[in-house]
Amino acid sequence: MSDHGFRDFYYHASAFNNDHDQQSFGGETDSTYRVSASSVNPSYMSFTDCLRSTSADYGSLEKAFGLSPSSSEVFSSAEGSKRTTKQQVGAEELVGNNTDEIIGTPNSSICSSSSEAGCEEDSDKNQKHGQPKRSEDGGESSKKGNKAKTKGEKKQREPRFAFMTKSEVDHLEDGYRWRKYGQKAVKNSPYPRSYYRCTTQKCTVKKRVERSFQDPSTVITTYEGQHNHPLPTTLRGSAAGLFPPSMLSPSPLGAPSFPHELLMQMPNYHHQMNNQAAAGSMFAQNVGPFQQYAHQHQVPDYGLLQDMVPSRFLKHEP
DNA sequence: CGTATTTGACCTGCGC
DNA sequence: GCGCAGGTCAAATACG
Protein backbone atom coordinates (compact mmCIF):
# COMPACT_ATOMS: atom_id res chain seq x y z
CA MET A 1 0.00 0.00 0.00
CA SER A 2 2.47 2.42 -1.16
CA ASP A 3 -0.13 5.01 -1.68
CA HIS A 4 -2.16 3.66 1.23
CA GLY A 5 -4.93 2.86 -1.08
CA PHE A 6 -6.21 6.32 -1.52
CA ARG A 7 -7.67 6.88 -4.85
CA ASP A 8 -10.68 8.96 -4.40
CA PHE A 9 -12.43 10.23 -1.45
CA TYR A 10 -16.10 10.58 -1.29
CA TYR A 11 -18.08 11.81 1.48
CA HIS A 12 -21.32 10.64 2.76
CA ALA A 13 -22.28 12.16 5.99
CA SER A 14 -25.13 11.27 8.13
CA ALA A 15 -26.15 13.39 10.98
CA PHE A 16 -28.24 11.73 13.54
CA ASN A 17 -30.25 13.23 16.24
CA ASN A 18 -29.83 11.71 19.56
CA ASP A 19 -33.30 12.81 20.38
CA HIS A 20 -34.55 9.99 18.31
CA ASP A 21 -34.70 6.73 19.98
CA GLN A 22 -34.35 3.35 18.51
CA GLN A 23 -37.78 3.49 17.10
CA SER A 24 -36.84 5.93 14.49
CA PHE A 25 -33.23 5.07 14.52
CA GLY A 26 -33.41 2.08 12.39
CA GLY A 27 -35.25 3.55 9.54
CA GLU A 28 -34.54 6.19 7.02
CA THR A 29 -37.10 7.94 8.96
CA ASP A 30 -36.86 11.51 8.10
CA SER A 31 -34.88 11.95 5.04
CA THR A 32 -31.66 11.14 3.46
CA TYR A 33 -29.96 13.63 1.30
CA ARG A 34 -27.59 13.08 -1.43
CA VAL A 35 -25.73 15.99 -2.75
CA SER A 36 -23.49 15.78 -5.68
CA ALA A 37 -20.75 18.21 -6.31
CA SER A 38 -22.43 19.32 -9.41
CA SER A 39 -25.18 20.81 -7.38
CA VAL A 40 -22.91 22.89 -5.27
CA ASN A 41 -20.31 25.40 -6.01
CA PRO A 42 -17.04 23.54 -5.75
CA SER A 43 -15.14 26.63 -4.95
CA TYR A 44 -17.17 27.06 -1.84
CA MET A 45 -17.33 23.50 -0.85
CA SER A 46 -14.70 21.43 0.76
CA PHE A 47 -14.76 18.20 2.55
CA THR A 48 -14.48 19.98 5.81
CA ASP A 49 -17.29 22.21 4.94
CA CYS A 50 -19.34 19.31 3.99
CA LEU A 51 -18.70 17.79 7.33
CA ARG A 52 -19.53 20.91 9.08
CA SER A 53 -22.59 21.32 7.09
CA THR A 54 -24.07 18.11 8.19
CA SER A 55 -25.98 19.47 11.01
CA ALA A 56 -28.68 17.33 12.36
CA ASP A 57 -31.32 19.34 10.68
CA TYR A 58 -31.46 19.45 7.04
CA GLY A 59 -32.04 23.13 7.08
CA SER A 60 -28.48 23.80 8.00
CA LEU A 61 -27.24 21.42 5.44
CA GLU A 62 -29.36 22.98 2.87
CA LYS A 63 -28.24 26.41 3.75
CA ALA A 64 -24.64 25.48 4.02
CA PHE A 65 -24.75 23.92 0.64
CA GLY A 66 -26.78 26.64 -0.81
CA LEU A 67 -29.19 24.07 -1.95
CA SER A 68 -32.75 24.15 -2.58
CA PRO A 69 -34.58 20.98 -1.79
CA SER A 70 -35.09 20.41 -5.42
CA SER A 71 -31.43 20.47 -6.09
CA SER A 72 -30.72 17.44 -4.07
CA GLU A 73 -32.06 14.02 -4.26
CA VAL A 74 -34.14 13.28 -1.31
CA PHE A 75 -35.45 9.94 -0.55
CA SER A 76 -37.33 9.29 2.52
CA SER A 77 -39.79 6.88 3.75
CA ALA A 78 -43.28 8.02 3.35
CA GLU A 79 -44.25 6.56 6.65
CA GLY A 80 -41.80 8.58 8.57
CA SER A 81 -41.52 6.64 11.75
CA LYS A 82 -41.77 3.21 10.30
CA ARG A 83 -39.44 1.53 8.00
CA THR A 84 -40.72 0.77 4.65
CA THR A 85 -40.26 -2.51 2.98
CA LYS A 86 -38.02 -0.82 0.55
CA GLN A 87 -35.34 -3.11 -0.59
CA GLN A 88 -31.75 -2.35 -0.01
CA VAL A 89 -31.96 0.65 2.08
CA GLY A 90 -28.85 1.79 3.75
CA ALA A 91 -25.21 1.91 3.03
CA GLU A 92 -25.39 -0.66 0.38
CA GLU A 93 -28.11 1.14 -1.33
CA LEU A 94 -26.66 4.52 -0.88
CA VAL A 95 -23.39 3.40 -2.18
CA GLY A 96 -24.94 1.34 -4.79
CA ASN A 97 -27.07 4.06 -6.11
CA ASN A 98 -24.38 6.55 -5.77
CA THR A 99 -21.70 4.37 -7.01
CA ASP A 100 -22.75 4.74 -10.53
CA GLU A 101 -22.74 8.42 -10.11
CA ILE A 102 -19.49 8.32 -8.30
CA ILE A 103 -17.77 6.13 -10.75
CA GLY A 104 -19.14 8.05 -13.58
CA THR A 105 -18.18 11.35 -12.13
CA PRO A 106 -15.04 10.86 -10.19
CA ASN A 107 -14.89 14.45 -9.21
CA SER A 108 -18.11 14.41 -7.43
CA SER A 109 -18.48 13.95 -3.80
CA ILE A 110 -21.33 12.41 -2.05
CA CYS A 111 -22.70 14.02 0.96
CA SER A 112 -25.80 12.73 2.44
CA SER A 113 -27.42 13.32 5.67
CA SER A 114 -30.14 11.71 7.53
CA SER A 115 -31.59 12.22 10.87
CA GLU A 116 -30.87 8.73 11.91
CA ALA A 117 -28.55 5.93 11.18
CA GLY A 118 -30.90 3.73 9.37
CA CYS A 119 -30.30 5.51 6.18
CA GLU A 120 -26.96 4.01 5.88
CA GLU A 121 -26.40 1.01 7.92
CA ASP A 122 -29.25 -0.28 9.94
CA SER A 123 -31.06 -0.82 6.84
CA ASP A 124 -31.05 -4.29 5.73
CA LYS A 125 -33.34 -5.36 8.42
CA ASN A 126 -36.11 -4.43 6.13
CA GLN A 127 -35.16 -7.02 3.70
CA LYS A 128 -36.09 -10.41 4.87
CA HIS A 129 -35.11 -13.18 2.65
CA GLY A 130 -35.92 -15.86 5.09
CA GLN A 131 -32.50 -17.24 4.67
CA PRO A 132 -31.65 -19.52 7.51
CA LYS A 133 -29.40 -18.26 10.18
CA ARG A 134 -27.63 -20.33 12.67
CA SER A 135 -29.66 -21.07 15.68
CA GLU A 136 -27.80 -19.78 18.65
CA ASP A 137 -30.65 -19.82 21.02
CA GLY A 138 -28.64 -21.14 23.86
CA GLY A 139 -31.08 -19.96 26.38
CA GLU A 140 -28.49 -19.32 29.06
CA SER A 141 -28.09 -15.63 29.08
CA SER A 142 -25.94 -15.69 32.13
CA LYS A 143 -22.66 -15.46 30.38
CA LYS A 144 -22.99 -11.91 29.23
CA GLY A 145 -25.52 -10.50 31.52
CA ASN A 146 -23.71 -7.22 31.71
CA LYS A 147 -25.74 -6.08 28.79
CA ALA A 148 -28.75 -5.98 31.00
CA LYS A 149 -27.58 -2.59 32.10
CA THR A 150 -29.05 -1.13 29.00
CA LYS A 151 -32.42 -2.46 29.80
CA GLY A 152 -35.06 0.05 30.55
CA GLU A 153 -33.19 2.90 29.03
CA LYS A 154 -33.03 3.82 25.44
CA LYS A 155 -29.59 3.61 24.14
CA GLN A 156 -28.40 7.00 23.15
CA ARG A 157 -26.70 7.08 19.87
CA GLU A 158 -23.79 9.25 19.02
CA PRO A 159 -23.81 11.31 15.90
CA ARG A 160 -22.58 9.39 12.97
CA PHE A 161 -20.74 10.31 9.86
CA ALA A 162 -20.31 7.98 7.01
CA PHE A 163 -17.69 8.39 4.37
CA MET A 164 -17.53 6.65 1.11
CA THR A 165 -13.93 6.25 0.22
CA LYS A 166 -12.60 4.75 -2.89
CA SER A 167 -9.83 2.72 -1.48
CA GLU A 168 -8.13 -0.56 -1.89
CA VAL A 169 -7.76 -1.02 1.79
CA ASP A 170 -10.63 -1.42 4.13
CA HIS A 171 -9.23 0.28 7.13
CA LEU A 172 -7.94 3.68 6.19
CA GLU A 173 -5.44 5.32 8.43
CA ASP A 174 -6.89 8.43 9.96
CA GLY A 175 -4.38 9.10 12.65
CA TYR A 176 -6.25 7.52 15.47
CA ARG A 177 -5.69 4.12 16.91
CA TRP A 178 -8.48 1.68 16.42
CA ARG A 179 -9.05 -1.70 17.85
CA LYS A 180 -11.17 -4.10 15.97
CA TYR A 181 -13.79 -5.64 18.16
CA GLY A 182 -16.06 -7.35 15.76
CA GLN A 183 -16.88 -8.33 12.27
CA LYS A 184 -20.18 -9.26 10.84
CA ALA A 185 -21.35 -10.46 7.54
CA VAL A 186 -23.61 -7.96 5.92
CA LYS A 187 -26.76 -9.21 4.44
CA ASN A 188 -26.81 -9.10 0.68
CA SER A 189 -23.18 -8.25 0.60
CA PRO A 190 -20.24 -10.56 0.19
CA TYR A 191 -18.12 -8.17 2.17
CA PRO A 192 -18.15 -8.17 5.93
CA ARG A 193 -18.53 -5.17 8.10
CA SER A 194 -15.80 -4.51 10.60
CA TYR A 195 -16.29 -2.76 13.89
CA TYR A 196 -13.55 -0.65 15.41
CA ARG A 197 -13.26 1.22 18.64
CA CYS A 198 -10.87 3.99 19.49
CA THR A 199 -8.21 2.52 21.72
CA THR A 200 -7.79 5.68 23.72
CA GLN A 201 -9.14 5.31 27.20
CA LYS A 202 -12.46 6.95 27.85
CA CYS A 203 -12.90 7.57 24.19
CA THR A 204 -16.04 5.91 22.99
CA VAL A 205 -15.71 6.67 19.35
CA LYS A 206 -16.44 3.77 17.12
CA LYS A 207 -16.27 3.26 13.48
CA ARG A 208 -17.56 0.72 11.10
CA VAL A 209 -15.92 -0.18 7.88
CA GLU A 210 -17.60 -2.01 5.11
CA ARG A 211 -17.10 -2.35 1.45
CA SER A 212 -19.78 -1.63 -1.00
CA PHE A 213 -20.88 -4.79 -2.64
CA GLN A 214 -21.95 -2.95 -5.71
CA ASP A 215 -18.71 -1.14 -5.99
CA PRO A 216 -16.02 -3.15 -4.24
CA SER A 217 -13.60 -0.33 -4.69
CA THR A 218 -15.66 1.83 -2.41
CA VAL A 219 -15.24 1.59 1.31
CA ILE A 220 -17.86 2.96 3.62
CA THR A 221 -16.50 4.19 6.89
CA THR A 222 -18.95 5.25 9.51
CA TYR A 223 -17.76 7.17 12.53
CA GLU A 224 -19.87 7.26 15.63
CA GLY A 225 -19.21 9.61 18.46
CA GLN A 226 -16.54 12.17 18.94
CA HIS A 227 -13.01 11.91 20.12
CA ASN A 228 -12.42 13.50 23.47
CA HIS A 229 -8.70 13.48 23.12
CA PRO A 230 -6.08 14.79 20.76
CA LEU A 231 -4.61 12.71 18.08
CA PRO A 232 -2.27 10.14 19.53
CA THR A 233 1.17 11.66 19.44
CA THR A 234 2.82 8.46 18.41
CA LEU A 235 0.65 8.34 15.40
CA ARG A 236 1.50 11.71 14.14
CA GLY A 237 4.38 10.03 12.52
CA SER A 238 2.21 7.67 10.65
CA ALA A 239 -0.14 10.40 9.76
CA ALA A 240 2.78 12.44 8.61
CA GLY A 241 3.66 9.62 6.37
CA LEU A 242 0.32 9.74 4.79
CA PHE A 243 -0.15 13.40 4.39
CA PRO A 244 2.16 16.19 3.50
CA PRO A 245 3.50 18.40 6.25
CA SER A 246 1.42 21.27 5.12
CA MET A 247 -1.65 19.31 5.97
CA LEU A 248 -0.41 17.99 9.26
CA SER A 249 0.91 21.18 10.67
CA PRO A 250 -1.39 23.91 11.72
CA SER A 251 -2.50 25.96 8.86
CA PRO A 252 -1.12 29.47 8.69
CA LEU A 253 -4.67 30.65 8.52
CA GLY A 254 -5.59 28.80 11.61
CA ALA A 255 -7.83 26.44 9.84
CA PRO A 256 -7.90 22.81 10.74
CA SER A 257 -5.74 20.56 8.68
CA PHE A 258 -6.58 17.27 7.24
CA PRO A 259 -6.99 14.70 8.46
CA HIS A 260 -6.93 14.62 12.19
CA GLU A 261 -8.18 18.05 12.99
CA LEU A 262 -10.87 17.43 10.53
CA LEU A 263 -11.85 14.17 12.02
CA MET A 264 -11.69 15.54 15.47
CA GLN A 265 -13.91 18.37 14.67
CA MET A 266 -16.47 16.83 12.56
CA PRO A 267 -18.45 15.26 15.35
CA ASN A 268 -18.04 18.35 17.44
CA TYR A 269 -19.65 20.28 14.78
CA HIS A 270 -22.91 18.78 15.64
CA HIS A 271 -22.74 20.18 19.05
CA GLN A 272 -21.00 23.41 18.38
CA MET A 273 -22.12 24.56 15.04
CA ASN A 274 -25.81 24.87 15.14
CA ASN A 275 -26.24 28.08 13.33
CA GLN A 276 -25.43 28.98 9.89
CA ALA A 277 -23.53 32.06 10.81
CA ALA A 278 -21.06 30.07 12.78
CA ALA A 279 -20.87 27.55 10.06
CA GLY A 280 -20.25 30.25 7.61
CA SER A 281 -17.31 31.58 9.52
CA MET A 282 -15.82 28.17 9.85
CA PHE A 283 -16.56 27.64 6.29
CA ALA A 284 -14.67 30.68 5.24
CA GLN A 285 -11.73 29.62 7.31
CA ASN A 286 -11.53 26.22 5.92
CA VAL A 287 -11.74 26.90 2.30
CA GLY A 288 -8.62 28.94 2.24
CA PRO A 289 -5.79 26.61 3.06
CA PHE A 290 -6.86 23.82 0.84
CA GLN A 291 -7.50 25.98 -2.09
CA GLN A 292 -4.29 27.75 -1.39
CA TYR A 293 -2.56 24.47 -1.40
CA ALA A 294 -4.12 23.48 -4.63
CA HIS A 295 -3.33 26.79 -6.13
CA GLN A 296 0.27 26.83 -5.02
CA HIS A 297 0.79 23.33 -6.23
CA GLN A 298 -0.98 23.97 -9.45
CA VAL A 299 -3.45 21.29 -8.78
CA PRO A 300 -5.90 20.94 -11.56
CA ASP A 301 -9.49 21.29 -10.70
CA TYR A 302 -10.43 17.80 -9.86
CA GLY A 303 -13.18 18.97 -7.70
CA LEU A 304 -13.73 18.72 -4.03
CA LEU A 305 -11.06 16.21 -3.49
CA GLN A 306 -8.41 18.75 -4.02
CA ASP A 307 -9.74 20.70 -1.16
CA MET A 308 -8.41 18.16 1.21
CA VAL A 309 -6.13 15.71 -0.48
CA PRO A 310 -3.17 16.70 -2.55
CA SER A 311 -3.16 15.50 -6.06
CA ARG A 312 -0.30 13.17 -5.45
CA PHE A 313 -2.61 11.08 -3.38
CA LEU A 314 -5.05 10.72 -6.13
CA LYS A 315 -5.09 8.46 -9.04
CA HIS A 316 -7.53 9.48 -11.60
CA GLU A 317 -8.81 6.87 -13.83
CA PRO A 318 -9.39 7.87 -17.38
C1' DC B 1 4.78 -11.19 26.96
C1' DG B 2 1.82 -7.54 25.71
C1' DT B 3 -1.22 -6.14 22.21
C1' DA B 4 -4.19 -6.73 18.32
C1' DT B 5 -7.20 -9.64 15.62
C1' DT B 6 -10.40 -13.36 14.83
C1' DT B 7 -14.63 -15.46 15.50
C1' DG B 8 -18.48 -17.79 17.63
C1' DA B 9 -21.85 -16.67 21.02
C1' DC B 10 -24.91 -13.59 22.85
C1' DC B 11 -27.94 -9.41 23.22
C1' DT B 12 -31.14 -6.10 21.39
C1' DG B 13 -34.42 -4.05 18.37
C1' DC B 14 -37.65 -4.37 14.80
C1' DG B 15 -40.93 -6.34 11.43
C1' DC B 16 -44.28 -9.66 10.67
C1' DG C 1 -44.21 -14.09 20.19
C1' DC C 2 -40.97 -15.41 16.80
C1' DG C 3 -37.39 -14.88 13.63
C1' DC C 4 -34.01 -12.07 11.53
C1' DA C 5 -30.27 -8.92 11.35
C1' DG C 6 -27.19 -5.65 13.47
C1' DG C 7 -24.16 -4.86 17.14
C1' DT C 8 -21.13 -6.32 20.97
C1' DC C 9 -18.56 -9.37 24.00
C1' DA C 10 -14.82 -12.14 25.12
C1' DA C 11 -12.08 -16.33 24.70
C1' DA C 12 -8.88 -18.06 21.57
C1' DT C 13 -5.40 -17.09 18.52
C1' DA C 14 -1.88 -14.51 16.01
C1' DC C 15 1.68 -11.31 15.88
C1' DG C 16 5.67 -8.29 16.92
Side-chain angles (χ1 to χ4, degrees):
Chain A
M1 113 180 193
S2 57
D3 61 349
H4 35 278
F6 262 87
R7 296 199 307 174
D8 274 316
F9 196 82
Y10 304 117
Y11 164 56
H12 161 261
S14 299
F16 308 116
N17 273 334
N18 286 335
D19 323 334
H20 296 173
D21 58 21
Q22 287 294 113
Q23 284 290 334
S24 59
F25 187 78
E28 14 150 82
T29 52
D30 293 329
S31 50
T32 302
Y33 307 101
R34 296 191 296 170
V35 181
S36 68
S38 59
S39 61
V40 300
N41 185 344
S43 60
Y44 291 102
M45 192 60 208
S46 72
F47 176 72
T48 312
D49 303 320
C50 190
L51 289 176
R52 297 211 158 100
S53 300
T54 48
S55 169
D57 74 326
Y58 172 61
S60 300
L61 180 73
E62 181 180 334
K63 290 172 185 174
F65 278 83
L67 294 173
S68 65
S70 59
S71 65
S72 63
E73 294 181 59
V74 179
F75 44 95
S76 60
S77 66
E79 287 75 13
S81 64
K82 286 277 188 179
R83 283 185 207 160
T84 67
T85 54
K86 178 181 173 186
Q87 307 287 308
Q88 281 298 98
V89 186
E92 288 75 18
E93 189 210 28
L94 274 174
V95 172
N97 286 352
N98 286 320
T99 293
D100 294 338
E101 304 166 15
I102 291 169
I103 300 300
T105 58
N107 294 339
S108 67
S109 71
I110 296 300
C111 173
S112 67
S113 168
S114 80
S115 63
E116 280 302 338
C119 75
E120 62 185 347
E121 65 249 0
D122 291 349
S123 51
D124 291 327
K125 292 180 183 178
N126 329 350
Q127 193 173 9
K128 293 187 181 284
H129 283 183
Q131 58 187 31
K133 197 185 180 216
R134 78 174 188 283
S135 172
E136 52 194 34
D137 190 13
E140 301 88 13
S141 56
S142 57
K143 272 171 74 176
K144 293 160 187 177
N146 52 350
K147 285 201 170 184
K149 66 185 175 188
T150 58
K151 274 188 177 178
E153 58 181 28
K154 296 279 187 177
K155 211 192 301 181
Q156 273 220 343
R157 293 279 182 160
E158 301 284 344
R160 295 186 187 181
F161 297 84
F163 303 88
M164 300 196 311
T165 308
K166 249 200 161 195
S167 170
E168 300 163 3
V169 295
D170 287 346
H171 192 194
L172 297 171
E173 185 62 61
D174 59 8
Y176 288 96
R177 294 192 55 151
W178 301 94
R179 181 194 187 96
K180 190 175 185 176
Y181 67 90
Q183 177 171 307
K184 284 285 285 187
V186 180
K187 199 164 182 289
N188 299 318
S189 172
Y191 306 101
R193 174 183 297 158
S194 298
Y195 299 89
Y196 297 88
R197 222 193 308 264
C198 183
T199 59
T200 303
Q201 283 187 346
K202 297 179 183 177
C203 183
T204 61
V205 176
K206 300 171 194 172
K207 79 172 178 182
R208 280 174 291 183
V209 177
E210 62 182 293
R211 194 169 283 277
S212 168
F213 80 101
Q214 292 194 359
D215 179 15
S217 63
T218 299
V219 174
I220 305 160
T221 305
T222 304
Y223 290 88
E224 178 174 340
Q226 48 188 314
H227 294 282
N228 55 8
H229 58 91
L231 190 79
T233 308
T234 56
L235 288 179
R236 288 237 171 195
S238 68
L242 295 176
F243 299 95
S246 60
M247 299 187 80
L248 290 172
S249 59
S251 151
L253 298 182
S257 304
F258 190 84
H260 58 273
E261 287 89 350
L262 170 66
L263 294 174
M264 282 180 61
Q265 291 189 19
M266 67 181 178
N268 291 339
Y269 174 69
H270 277 282
H271 306 281
Q272 297 171 354
M273 310 299 290
N274 285 326
N275 63 76
Q276 186 190 357
S281 64
M282 298 291 286
F283 173 85
Q285 279 185 333
N286 293 327
V287 167
F290 294 126
Q291 289 195 331
Q292 243 185 15
Y293 181 95
H295 182 71
Q296 290 169 358
H297 292 75
Q298 297 182 338
V299 176
D301 184 16
Y302 290 141
L304 303 180
L305 201 52
Q306 263 57 44
D307 286 341
M308 52 189 179
V309 181
S311 60
R312 69 184 178 96
F313 288 110
L314 305 176
K315 297 178 192 168
H316 288 275
E317 298 167 355

